[in-house]
Amino acid sequence: GKSQGCCTSLDAALTFPRPLGGFIGLVGHLLSCTPVERGGPQSATPMHFFHEPDDHLMRWKWVSRGERRLRDAGYVVRSRRRPDPETHSHFIAGVEGQWIRSALRSICRPPGRDEC
């Protein structure tokens, strides 16, 4: 999910009763109302988050709190803050595909293999 879609899809993932293969979220955050259950069904699910450092809509100060909440509950959180080379800030464009493919390679790569 991206932006509000990230927030909504993260809520859906964390309330889904069975383990998922992975989660990818772009320029979004954990909603304050989303339950984060220690040892919950997604606690071993790799969660990839990508943020644009100059994002003025999804401010890192409060976005990072949600990621800390997940980490404190034992979730597998991989967070990256990279500038958008096209300088669109929150409205990332060209770099999002690169970010998504990077996370997918990490999620689907079997141990000991360099490719999916």
Side-chain angles (χ1 to χ4, degrees):
K2 180 177 176 182
S3 192
Q4 291 177 336
C6 173
C7 305
T8 304
S9 60
L10 183 56
D11 184 84
L14 290 171
T15 57
F16 192 71
R18 293 187 301 265
L20 298 171
F23 176 84
I24 301 171
L26 305 174
V27 295
H29 64 91
L30 177 67
L31 298 172
S32 60
C33 64
T34 299
V36 177
E37 177 185 350
R38 181 174 289 282
Q42 308 315 326
S43 60
T45 299
M47 297 191 170
H48 294 260
F49 296 95
F50 297 90
H51 308 283
E52 213 289 332
D54 295 324
D55 189 340
H56 61 283
L57 295 177
M58 299 286 178
R59 298 186 189 276
W60 181 247
K61 182 177 181 178
W62 46 271
V63 168
S64 63
R65 287 185 205 140
E67 289 187 8
R68 187 171 42 251
R69 220 174 114 205
L70 289 166
R71 284 189 181 99
D72 289 349
Y75 286 73
V76 180
V77 175
R78 296 183 177 108
S79 181
R80 294 188 187 116
R81 292 179 71 203
R82 302 282 189 275
D84 175 12
E86 297 175 11
T87 66
H88 295 295
S89 183
H90 177 79
F91 304 98
I92 57 172
V95 74
E96 67 187 15
Q98 177 186 353
W99 288 352
I100 291 168
R101 287 186 295 278
S102 168
L104 286 171
R105 280 191 297 275
S106 175
I107 290 168
C108 73
R109 181 179 301 134
R113 299 260 332 247
D114 291 336
E115 298 179 14
C116 289

